[in-house]
Amino acid sequence: MDYIHAGYPRHLIRHQFYISEEQFDAAMAYIDANWDEVEAEYQTVLKDAAAIRQYWEERNRERFARIAKMPPKPGQEETRAKLKAWKARIESRT
């Protein structure tokens, strides 16, 4: 459903799952025929995933903060600098 909501063409969606045209057509026919129910289930899954993500983020917040304060291991300075730059680039996009 993520791909459908993102507007992916059907042929690209099919290739993401490595399924035959017949399998894909059957799945899409089911989705099209039962759109309201499928969409409701999709929204439930998204809501549950968000709740689970929030639970684990809260549970691990202190641990991640402690890890972030730890000094880098010798020889990892360059790698950490690259990761920090990559993270800043990702965060600037959102």
Side-chain angles (χ1 to χ4, degrees):
M1 289 299 290
D2 289 336
Y3 295 116
I4 293 170
H5 282 276
Y8 275 58
R10 289 183 173 218
H11 72 278
L12 291 179
I13 297 171
R14 183 175 73 82
H15 289 288
Q16 288 289 325
F17 296 100
Y18 303 101
I19 59 175
S20 69
E21 277 191 54
E22 294 79 24
Q23 290 170 319
F24 181 75
D25 290 342
M28 292 306 296
Y30 178 85
I31 291 171
D32 291 340
N34 300 284
W35 180 263
D36 292 338
E37 298 89 64
V38 172
E39 181 64 23
E41 182 68 21
Y42 173 69
Q43 293 303 319
T44 299
V45 168
L46 291 178
K47 182 180 173 186
D48 291 348
I52 291 167
R53 187 179 321 103
Q54 181 180 1
Y55 168 81
W56 285 106
E57 285 174 359
E58 288 174 6
R59 182 168 176 161
N60 290 310
R61 184 172 289 129
E62 289 179 21
R63 181 174 190 210
F64 291 149
R66 279 195 317 271
I67 292 170
K69 291 179 183 178
M70 294 173 68
K73 293 180 182 177
Q76 291 185 343
E77 294 83 5
E78 183 179 343
T79 303
R80 284 195 176 246
K82 286 180 183 178
L83 284 172
K84 187 175 181 179
W86 177 75
K87 184 178 178 182
R89 193 169 49 245
I90 296 288
E91 290 174 348
S92 70
R93 293 179 188 168
T94 57

